[in-house]
Amino acid sequence: QPPDIVHLHHGGVLPRLVCRLAGAGRIVHHVHSQTDYEQSAMFPGPKYLRPDAVIACSQAAAAGIQGYAPEVIYAGIEVPAKPFPMPDGSLRIGVLARLAAPKKIDVVLHAVARIRAAGIPIEVQIAGTGPVEPSLRRLAEELGLLPGIRFLGWREDTLSLLTSWHALVMPSLQE
């Protein structure tokens, strides 16, 4: 039986054509960033190859979409508790991401170096894995941020991490 709704994240005309040929009732296209529609024409072709609805993860991602009024759906969750204060009064921030260049985690490390240079105690926990992890570890060492930077690896207890941080930092330029 064909699906009532297909939720697409990536791809151009071909995935939508496959959905239509498979008899999908409706196609919803999820735009994650401006890059999604800057790299190619987002929804070209005849009407039957276009999505029935478009959603976006932010106002910025939705801003450049022509011919649609995207619904913005933020990727947020409620965090039930405030983090415990650190014994030394420092700020504890976290990064929860795939460790890849577009996520710009190096920007966080440079910012932490400036914050510490201003005399503000700060600890950073980075949860995730990916191809730039070795270079991030080297950068943290070069900037003199160790041991206050902790690389936690892949974690599934994201809610407990979020509740232990004073702030979640998401420096990504794409999502």
Side-chain angles (χ1 to χ4, degrees):
Q1 176 167 353
D4 293 328
I5 298 174
V6 175
H7 182 165
L8 295 175
H9 288 263
H10 299 286
V13 174
L14 187 57
R16 291 191 298 270
L17 175 61
V18 170
C19 291
R20 294 294 186 210
L21 292 174
R26 299 274 187 247
I27 299 172
V28 176
H29 192 99
H30 191 157
V31 177
H32 290 262
S33 69
Q34 294 172 335
T35 306
D36 284 355
Y37 56 80
E38 288 172 352
Q39 291 178 351
S40 63
M42 187 62 141
F43 307 119
K47 183 173 174 50
Y48 70 91
L49 290 179
R50 296 181 190 152
D52 298 294
V54 177
I55 60 175
C57 65
S58 69
Q59 293 292 337
I65 300 170
Q66 303 297 315
Y68 289 86
E71 180 75 25
V72 175
I73 300 173
Y74 296 101
I77 61 169
E78 288 189 36
V79 178
K82 294 184 178 180
F84 294 105
M86 299 289 285
D88 64 357
S90 66
L91 177 66
R92 185 186 318 112
I93 65 169
V95 175
L96 182 61
R98 178 174 48 90
L99 305 185
K103 300 298 184 176
K104 303 303 283 179
I105 297 163
D106 58 315
V107 172
V108 174
L109 297 179
H110 285 285
V112 168
R114 293 181 71 178
I115 291 167
R116 285 194 182 162
I120 300 168
I122 185 170
E123 175 188 311
V124 180
Q125 296 180 348
I126 300 171
T129 60
V132 300
E133 183 175 347
S135 63
L136 292 171
R137 286 179 180 274
R138 281 192 302 276
L139 180 60
E141 188 171 354
E142 289 168 9
L143 294 173
L145 300 177
L146 301 178
I149 304 287
R150 292 183 45 217
F151 289 86
L152 306 177
W154 175 259
R155 298 287 293 262
E156 295 197 16
D157 59 334
T158 54
L159 186 58
S160 68
L161 287 175
L162 290 169
T163 59
S164 73
W165 297 334
H166 296 101
L168 169 68
V169 179
M170 297 178 64
S172 177
L173 296 178
Q174 292 189 344
E175 297 177 345

